[in-house]
């Protein structure tokens, strides 16, 4: 027997033990606890999860399962797909969070028909009407989630064909709440984008999501911190991250909105405490110190929340470090959890799921997807927004499917509004000046739509107040793309005509009530989403009833028979407080006895406005010129000027004449308020009206200006201002409306 030295025997023994382990490595996770990540909801505060994930990767902590609620489902779902914390942060920076909370496309991209709706004083809020049931329905939520869902789908495209969330690089669950039972619903399969969307459907804010027989809303109502979910997924150790909003103190509950916010916080706080109670001594609870620095609605502070999340995780670095892997083992873990591969799929054909009474052609004409071309999600989103802008659909979605032949099919699903495609709208307009002039009207409009497969509309407007009237109109697109349209309208209209002598005194010398009854027909051409050219014929019979005036003045009758050619251009981002874009309105009108008019005369003019901004500062510049040519222009067809931002300091429409000129510069300063945007600003104006062209010169121009505060309320733009004009004219104004929109021609734009 040969004796070997002790060290040699020891080396052989170690090799004997090590060789089997090298040749047959243990199963993944067998030598370490399985780690699950529970991410809570919290609105914008949920961005803190990204900072936590960044530190977990720096410490080499493997994650074997993830469950998330609401914003936790967004961050958790993207991370489970394989996106890095840096990539998720880039997505947060890239997303327009203001647009997320709007269903309709940006105003610049809306169809002209809808832009012209902004010219009225009707509210945007529109309860639905179901004709067959004769029932008025409120919308199920303030936001239907159209933009939100398209955004989620864009970022989850790599997982578009995965239906089992256990097949993601990291198994994932989204938590929603059944709005009927109040129980949590754990989503581990199906459409990832839709699952995340359901998890963050805040009741009354975002519309609920229908999945099977369930109606799902935000998971925070039932389980805001899903500790038990990751435990059920097999986690031995849970890292729970709670970013729920702080509860308000007694002194912070002063109005109904604060009370509702407190109630919501209490609901999520209670179920969060129940889940925290399930944590054991091995688990780690992270509560990033967001406090009141970032609230759930502070989507402009999400990058700050990311930094706070990382700092909060750093505070628990020692506890977390105990879960870290050696570099080589962590590298092996990352190798097994590669991000989902993604290459833009080639679309072989498009399929329409049309759950509405509109034609398939109306949807297809607005899509520009070439068979054989790769999917461009950004371009597709813009095209689907144009479909949604028909104002008939509850949602317009897309998904990718493989047909039996292996082709990739883009399925576009358009669902009609469940609460009714017809609608009711109310509206209010008012103005008041210290000069004694006031104006008040209230209106109600009923729009029946769609009348047919090309989305025709029939609207009837009732107005009460100082200028009561009833008017009904039909708008009918001629082709599926709405390039050509036909409009027909009829009604009874009243309007106050006040004549002043401002050089002598501020009181009116005559006040008439104009009454018109008749109708019009209009043929027009829409140019994309930026303009329209129309040709119309109107025929009215009217009467001017004298209300105030000298005995020498009397009532008079008049007839109107006119042909009107009008060009309308609108690329403004807002008609209330525009920050960018152009607005133009040009017309030429011919009144002829042969067409039924009392007098022959011609009118033409234009109004042009441009808005631009930098930061919180904005500038609006405008020019309006109009004149009358030939014949004798009747009083009811004179141009009128005066009032807030239309020669401030004068009463509303105090000046009248056959010719008009006005140049304006308006400065706006965004005051940075939250729910209701407010502005401070001023205007400088120069212009006048003239009865003879020979009177028009620079010496006759009137110079005026104003200072004001404005608010973009749900009723419309509201102003409190002071105006002053040369000659000692001054006035205080309370104005609800759009003072920079000039009215040219006898009739307001109807279509």
């Amino acid at each position: 027997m040969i004796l070997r030295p002790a060290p040699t025997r020891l080396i052989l023994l170690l090799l004997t033990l090590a060789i089997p382990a090298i040749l047959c490595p243990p199963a993944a996770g067998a030598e370490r606890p399985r780690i699950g990540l529970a991410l809570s909801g919290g609105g914008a505060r949920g961005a803190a999860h990204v900072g936590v994930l960044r530190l977990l990767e720096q410490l080499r902590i493997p994650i074997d399962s993830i469950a998330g609620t609401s914003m936790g489902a967004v961050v958790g779902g993207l991370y489970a797909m394989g996106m890095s914390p840096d990539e998720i942060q880039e997505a947060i920076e890239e997303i327009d969070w203001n647009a997320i909370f709007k269903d309709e496309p940006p105003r610049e991209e809306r169809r002209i028909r809808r832009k012209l709706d902004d010219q009225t004083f009707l509210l945007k809020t529109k309860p639905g009407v179901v004709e067959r049931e004769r029932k008025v329905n409120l919308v199920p939520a303030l936001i239907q989630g159209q933009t939100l869902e398209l955004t989620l789908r864009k970022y989850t495209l790599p997982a578009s064909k995965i239906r089992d969330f256990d097949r993601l690089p990291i198994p994932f669950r989204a938590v929603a709440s059944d709005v009927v039972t109040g129980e949590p619903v754990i989503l581990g399969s199906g459409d990832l984008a839709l699952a995340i969307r359901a998890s963050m459907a805040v009741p009354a804010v975002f519309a609920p999501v229908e999945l099977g027989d369930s109606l799902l809303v935000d998971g925070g109502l039932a389980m805001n911190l899903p500790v038990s979910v990751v435990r059920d997924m097999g986690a031995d150790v849970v890292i729970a991250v709670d970013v729920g909003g702080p509860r308000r103190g007694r002194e912070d509950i002063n109005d109904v909105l604060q009370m509702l916010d407190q109630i919501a916080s209490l609901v999520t706080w209670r179920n969060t405490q129940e889940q925290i109670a399930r944590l054991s001594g091995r688990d780690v609870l992270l509560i990033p110190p967001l406090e009141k620095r970032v609230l759930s609605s502070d989507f402009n502070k999400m990058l700050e929340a990311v930094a706070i999340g990382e700092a909060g995780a750093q505070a628990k670095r020692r506890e977390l470090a105990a879960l870290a892997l050696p570099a080589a083992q962590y590298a092996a873990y990352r190798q097994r959890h590669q991000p989902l591969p993604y290459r833009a799929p080639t679309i072989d054909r498009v399929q329409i799921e049309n759950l509405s009474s509109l034609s398939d052609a109306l949807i297809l004409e607005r899509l520009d997807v070439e068979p054989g071309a790769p999917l461009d999600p950004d371009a597709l989103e813009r095209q689907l927004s144009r479909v949604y802008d028909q104002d008939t659909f509850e949602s317009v979605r897309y998904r990718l499917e493989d047909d039996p032949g292996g082709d990739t099919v883009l399925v576009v699903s358009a669902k009609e509004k469940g609460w009714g495609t017809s609608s009711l709208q109310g509206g209010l307009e008012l103005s008041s000046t210290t000069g004694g002039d006031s104006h008040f009207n209230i209106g109600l409009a009923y729009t029946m739509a769609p009348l047919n497969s090309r989305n025709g509309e029939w609207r009837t407007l009732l107005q009460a107040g100082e200028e009561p009237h009833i008017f009904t109109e039909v708008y009918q697109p001629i082709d599926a793309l709405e390039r050509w349209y036909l409009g027909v309208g009829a009604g009874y209209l009243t309007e106050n005509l006040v004549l002043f002598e401002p050089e002598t005194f501020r009181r009116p010398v005559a006040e008439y009530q104009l009454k018109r009854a008749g109708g019009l027909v209009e043929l027009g051409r829409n140019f994309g989403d930026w303009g329209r050219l129309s040709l119309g014929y109107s025929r009215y019979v009217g009467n001017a009833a004298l209300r105030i005036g000298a005995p020498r003045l009397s009532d008079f009758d008049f007839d109107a028979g006119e042909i009107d050619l009008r060009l309308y251009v609108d690329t403004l981002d807002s008609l209330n407080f525009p920050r960018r874009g152009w607005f133009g309105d040009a017309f030429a009108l011919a009144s002829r006895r042969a067409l039924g008019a009392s007098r022959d005369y011609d009118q033409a003019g234009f109004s042009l406005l441009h808005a631009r901004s930098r930061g919180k500062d904005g500038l609006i510049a405008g020019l309006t010129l109009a004149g009358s040519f030939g014949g004798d222009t009747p009083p009811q067809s004179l141009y009128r000027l005066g009032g807030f931002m239309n020669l401030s300091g004068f009463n509303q429409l105090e000046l009248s004449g056959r010719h008009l000129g006005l140049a304006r510069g308006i400065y706006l300063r965004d005051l940075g308020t939250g729910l209701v945007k407010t502005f401070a600003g001023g205007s400088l104006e120069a212009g006048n009206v003239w009865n003879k062209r020979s009177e028009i010169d620079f010496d006759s121009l009137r110079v005026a200006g104003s200072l004001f505060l404005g608010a973009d309320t749900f009723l419309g733009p509201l102003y409190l201002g002071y105006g002053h004009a040369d000659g000692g004219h001054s006035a205080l104004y309370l104005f609800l409306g759009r003072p920079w929109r000039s009215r040219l021609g006898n009739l307001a734009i109807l279509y």
Side-chain angles (χ1 to χ4, degrees):
M1 183 176 68
I2 300 174
L3 297 177
R4 296 181 174 85
T8 304
R9 291 198 302 274
L10 180 59
I11 292 170
L12 288 173
L13 178 61
L14 291 174
L15 287 173
T16 302
L17 295 173
I19 287 172
I22 296 172
L23 295 177
C24 302
E31 292 185 346
R32 63 172 178 82
R34 292 181 56 82
I35 300 173
L37 188 61
L39 304 178
S40 82
R45 296 161 64 91
H49 295 315
V50 180
V52 172
L53 290 171
R54 182 172 287 136
L55 184 68
L56 295 182
E57 288 196 351
Q58 291 173 4
L59 294 177
R60 301 193 300 273
I61 296 175
I63 302 300
D64 300 291
S65 57
I66 302 175
T69 298
S70 197
M71 189 60 77
V74 176
V75 176
L78 297 179
Y79 191 69
M81 283 172 41
M83 287 181 69
S84 69
D86 288 345
E87 289 171 330
I88 299 174
Q89 180 172 324
E90 287 176 11
I92 288 174
E93 294 181 73
E94 185 178 87
I95 292 172
D96 183 348
W97 292 97
N98 289 325
I100 286 290
F101 298 102
K102 297 177 182 177
D103 292 314
E104 62 190 33
R107 187 178 184 278
E108 305 97 305
E109 300 174 11
R110 300 209 70 189
R111 57 196 277 241
I112 289 295
R113 170 67 174 173
R114 294 283 78 90
K115 287 181 179 179
L116 284 169
D117 285 348
D118 294 341
Q119 299 274 353
T120 71
F121 61 89
L122 297 174
L123 306 181
K124 288 191 174 182
T125 304
K126 295 190 280 188
V129 177
V130 182
E131 283 88 2
R132 62 180 179 274
E133 300 175 8
R134 296 183 179 179
K135 182 180 179 183
V136 178
N137 299 314
L138 295 177
V139 295
L142 297 175
I143 305 164
Q144 299 311 307
Q146 172 70 15
T147 306
L148 172 62
E149 187 169 329
L150 290 177
T151 300
L152 291 173
R153 193 159 301 283
K154 171 183 173 181
Y155 287 102
T156 58
L157 274 174
S160 59
K161 296 184 180 180
I162 291 179
R163 289 294 176 263
D164 181 356
F165 298 166
D166 283 338
R167 293 180 54 209
L168 294 170
I170 301 175
F172 171 71
R173 300 289 184 271
V175 180
S177 301
D178 189 313
V179 76
V180 176
T181 66
E183 295 297 318
V185 177
I186 314 304
L187 303 172
S189 60
D191 185 320
L192 180 61
L194 201 58
I196 296 173
R197 160 77 176 84
S199 181
M200 60 187 305
V202 179
V205 178
F206 284 107
V209 173
E210 293 184 47
L211 284 180
D213 296 329
S214 299
L215 194 61
L216 305 182
V217 295
D218 192 290
L221 293 179
M223 188 186 294
N224 199 47
L225 183 63
V227 171
S228 60
V229 177
V230 286
R231 191 81 77 193
D232 292 342
M233 295 173 74
D236 302 308
V237 176
V238 176
I239 299 174
V241 187
D242 178 19
V243 296
R247 288 170 292 158
R248 294 177 181 269
R250 171 64 186 86
E251 66 282 359
D252 296 325
I253 306 175
N254 299 308
D255 58 41
V256 64
L257 294 178
Q258 293 171 347
M259 178 62 75
L260 292 173
D261 179 67
Q262 176 73 352
I263 292 172
S265 296
L266 287 172
V267 171
T268 57
W269 180 81
R270 287 187 181 280
N271 67 54
T272 296
Q273 297 308 305
E274 293 173 0
Q275 290 294 306
I276 289 175
R278 296 172 178 262
L279 296 173
S280 68
R282 301 178 67 189
D283 303 323
V284 181
L285 174 63
L286 301 177
I287 304 178
L290 294 158
E291 304 300 335
K292 296 183 180 179
R293 294 159 62 186
V294 181
L295 301 178
S296 59
S297 59
D298 289 338
F299 288 91
N300 60 331
K301 295 183 179 180
M302 294 183 77
L303 295 184
E304 183 179 345
V306 172
I308 294 173
E310 188 169 356
Q314 285 281 6
K316 292 287 185 96
R317 187 182 184 98
R318 174 177 290 184
E319 295 175 56
L320 291 171
L323 303 173
L325 292 179
Q329 195 172 348
Y330 186 71
Y333 159 82
R334 295 299 296 266
Q335 186 64 33
R336 294 193 301 272
H337 296 81
Q338 289 291 311
L340 291 173
Y342 178 72
R343 185 177 65 180
T346 298
I347 304 301
D348 296 302
R349 61 185 177 88
V350 178
Q351 178 181 327
I352 303 297
E353 287 183 351
N354 185 4
L355 306 177
S356 77
S357 56
L358 299 183
S359 68
D360 290 357
L362 185 144
I363 298 173
L364 282 169
E365 286 281 354
R366 286 162 177 79
L367 302 179
D368 185 18
V369 181
E370 290 290 336
L375 175 68
D376 183 343
D378 292 327
L380 181 59
E381 283 181 25
R382 291 191 295 270
Q383 294 160 25
L384 295 180
S385 293
R386 294 191 188 103
V387 177
Y388 187 82
D389 197 33
Q390 296 301 300
D391 209 28
T392 300
F393 298 109
E394 177 179 327
S395 64
V396 182
R397 301 168 173 165
Y398 75 93
R399 65 181 186 272
L400 300 176
E401 292 183 352
D402 290 334
D403 68 8
D407 288 345
T408 299
V409 182
L410 173 67
V411 182
V412 174
S413 177
K415 180 183 178 183
E416 197 169 74
K417 291 177 180 177
W419 58 92
T421 55
S422 298
S423 63
L424 285 174
Q425 282 179 278
L428 175 70
E429 62 174 352
L430 66 88
S431 65
S432 179
T433 71
T434 51
D437 179 48
S438 64
H439 187 78
F440 173 81
N441 287 303
I442 186 170
L444 179 67
Y446 171 58
T447 303
M448 185 184 296
L451 293 178
N452 45 52
S453 63
R454 289 191 174 164
N455 204 19
E457 296 180 2
W458 180 9
R459 176 180 295 168
T460 300
L461 173 66
L462 297 173
Q463 180 171 296
E466 294 189 18
E467 299 175 330
H469 69 243
I470 178 171
F471 195 87
T472 188
E473 55 168 334
V474 173
Y475 173 83
Q476 180 58 59
I478 296 174
D479 59 296
L481 202 54
E482 201 180 355
R483 286 167 294 204
W484 294 91
Y485 74 92
L486 179 67
V488 179
Y492 172 78
L493 310 174
T494 67
E495 180 184 1
N496 292 334
L497 173 62
V498 184
L499 302 178
F500 294 83
E501 289 185 7
E503 298 296 342
T504 307
F505 48 80
R506 300 297 303 276
R507 295 183 181 278
V509 296
E511 180 178 332
Y512 288 92
Q513 184 179 54
L514 304 179
K515 303 175 183 178
R516 294 184 177 97
L520 58 81
V521 60
E522 182 175 287
L523 176 66
R525 174 69 160 86
N526 293 318
F527 301 104
D529 52 22
W530 63 265
R532 164 182 290 183
L533 181 66
S534 65
L535 178 65
Y537 167 68
S538 57
R539 177 72 175 92
Y540 287 84
V541 296
N543 171 261
L546 182 67
R547 288 179 167 180
I548 300 174
R552 60 183 173 82
L553 300 175
S554 62
D555 298 354
F556 62 91
D557 296 327
F558 61 90
D559 293 334
E562 302 163 351
I563 293 179
D564 186 306
L565 180 67
R566 187 178 294 269
L567 175 65
Y568 175 81
V569 175
D570 189 349
T571 64
L572 292 177
D573 64 326
S574 167
L575 205 59
N576 292 354
F577 294 93
R579 305 282 289 168
R580 62 182 180 273
W582 290 88
F583 176 89
D585 181 15
F587 83 103
L589 178 148
S591 173
R592 293 292 182 271
R593 289 186 175 88
L595 298 174
S598 301
R599 304 185 188 182
D600 290 348
Y601 63 93
D602 299 318
Q603 290 184 318
F606 73 89
S607 181
L608 187 64
L609 181 146
H610 178 54
R612 61 187 306 171
S613 61
R614 178 179 295 178
K616 293 186 176 182
D617 300 307
L619 182 65
I620 303 169
L623 177 66
T624 302
L625 297 173
S628 300
F629 311 95
D632 184 13
T633 308
Q636 71 273 10
S637 298
L638 294 176
Y639 300 111
R640 288 184 282 167
L641 191 59
F644 184 49
M645 294 195 203
N646 291 282
L647 289 186
S648 302
F650 289 98
N651 283 308
Q652 296 296 117
L653 307 179
E654 184 172 348
L655 309 173
S656 59
R658 298 178 69 244
H659 308 281
L660 177 149
L662 178 65
R664 293 176 289 182
I666 303 166
Y667 168 74
L668 291 172
R669 171 72 177 181
D670 188 343
L671 298 181
T673 52
L675 186 61
V676 177
K677 284 192 172 185
T678 57
F679 299 83
S683 68
L684 182 63
E685 309 134 39
N688 206 346
V689 293
W690 302 270
N691 281 316
K692 298 179 180 179
R693 273 177 284 180
S694 60
E695 298 173 348
I696 302 173
D697 56 36
F698 284 103
D699 292 337
S700 63
L701 288 178
R702 300 175 184 270
V703 178
S706 71
L707 296 173
F708 59 84
L709 291 173
D712 197 2
T713 74
F714 75 96
L715 290 173
L718 178 66
Y719 295 88
L720 179 63
Y722 168 77
H724 181 80
D726 58 9
H729 301 277
S730 62
L732 290 173
Y733 297 97
L734 177 64
F735 194 94
L736 179 66
R738 301 174 181 90
W740 44 68
R741 186 179 75 85
S742 297
R743 174 175 169 175
L744 297 176
N746 285 350
L747 299 173
I749 300 171
L750 297 174
Y751 302 106

